[in-house]
Amino acid sequence: MTAATDPTQTSIVLVHGSWHGAWCWCRVLPLLRSAGVDSHAVTLTGVGERAHLMAPTIDLHTHIQDVIGLIEAEELQRVVLVGHSYAGMVITGVADRLQAEQPGLLAHLVYLDAALPYPGDSWSSHHSAETKQARISAAESSGGLSFPPPDASLFGLSGADRDWVNRRQTPQPFKLYQQPLDFDAERVAAVPRTFIDCTQPALATIAPSRVRVRSEPGWNVVEMATGHDPMVSEPAALSQILLGIHHRTTA
């Protein structure tokens, strides 16, 4: 049995993007923990080591509850919440609920090259018509259950890193792709927010987010000269950014 969480401690919770799992943070977690930061990675239902739970009922609210469930089970009292890619949708929903139910628990939101919804948006809302149709068509072969991962080269990975991610990716539940997320934008915006923009190569589906964070007030924007999976390609640099954010929440 582990000791109860120190109520004065700020923890980091990492939420992976589509097709991934908690496995994708395995190069980052040791760096955060060796710096003395309590850190956790959740695997969302239906992917990664939870792929056996794939079901047509998995939706955005399932994944929101996955994250809240980890925070509750670990008895975390203050959290820097990091969402990669699709998980920008998830952490927005988590923030909306926690701000209403446990204000003060969230210290910072980090959108890691992530989707950034407006109220009523779905994950697909800001994708091109071509991307939407491709994913809808891909899901048809599974009866609308899921859609398969792309080759990891899309994320700017090559060689052994590309092979490693390709071996581990699993299909993404489809129901959540077009599911709208309703939330209180002012409530979410009350939490300090950072957007980490991965620029080399920049993933096209994230373009609306990177434009928005540079036009709206209240955003801290950090650029990384790497591809869409910096936890794989640049784990040390990403860890330093996250530790810097963590330090500012505890200073």
Side-chain angles (χ1 to χ4, degrees):
M1 181 179 294
T2 58
T5 302
D6 180 350
T8 66
Q9 181 170 242
T10 298
S11 305
I12 294 179
V13 173
L14 305 167
V15 188
H16 63 82
S18 50
W19 309 295
H20 287 38
W23 57 263
C24 73
W25 304 104
C26 72
R27 301 176 183 179
V28 171
L29 279 171
L31 300 175
L32 299 178
R33 289 169 176 167
S34 67
V37 176
D38 181 57
S39 302
H40 306 265
V42 61
T43 291
L44 302 174
T45 303
V47 294
E49 75 273 18
R50 304 182 73 197
H52 64 290
L53 298 176
M54 177 67 76
T57 54
I58 296 171
D59 65 4
L60 185 54
H61 298 296
T62 309
H63 288 172
I64 290 168
Q65 186 56 49
D66 286 336
V67 179
I68 291 176
L70 180 142
I71 291 170
E72 291 177 343
E74 297 292 342
E75 299 184 340
L76 306 183
Q77 301 300 307
R78 190 161 168 79
V79 171
V80 173
L81 184 59
V82 182
H84 174 238
S85 195
Y86 150 72
M89 301 290 299
V90 179
I91 69 168
T92 299
V94 171
D96 186 54
R97 275 186 53 182
L98 291 181
Q99 283 289 91
E101 298 171 5
Q102 300 181 65
L105 187 149
L106 289 177
H108 206 102
L109 294 172
V110 181
Y111 289 80
L112 176 55
D113 220 35
L116 190 59
Y118 292 101
D121 277 353
S122 68
W123 178 24
S124 66
S125 289
H126 301 283
H127 291 173
S128 68
E130 181 181 10
T131 296
K132 290 179 187 177
Q133 188 54 55
R135 291 184 175 177
I136 292 169
S137 298
E140 289 175 356
S141 63
S142 68
L145 179 65
S146 64
F147 55 105
D151 190 277
S153 60
L154 179 69
F155 311 140
L157 299 174
S158 60
D161 285 346
R162 174 194 170 201
D163 294 342
W164 185 73
V165 171
N166 279 341
R167 288 196 304 272
R168 285 160 172 78
Q169 290 193 110
T170 53
Q172 178 78 355
F174 180 69
K175 183 177 181 180
L176 52 79
Y177 183 60
Q178 296 175 299
Q179 180 184 7
L181 177 65
D182 293 315
F183 63 94
D184 186 322
E186 291 187 5
R187 192 155 60 200
V188 173
V191 183
R193 297 169 296 168
T194 292
F195 186 87
I196 301 177
D197 187 3
C198 299
T199 62
Q200 294 183 18
L203 190 67
T205 53
I206 305 301
S209 296
R210 59 175 55 97
V211 171
R212 179 178 168 187
V213 297
R214 289 173 171 83
S215 61
E216 286 185 357
W219 283 97
N220 175 45
V221 179
V222 179
E223 292 189 2
M224 294 188 70
T226 191
H228 185 60
D229 268 14
M231 71 289 289
V232 177
S233 58
E234 292 288 347
L238 176 59
S239 298
Q240 285 303 306
I241 293 169
L242 296 180
L243 289 171
I245 292 169
H246 179 272
H247 177 72
R248 290 196 295 276
T249 69
T250 59

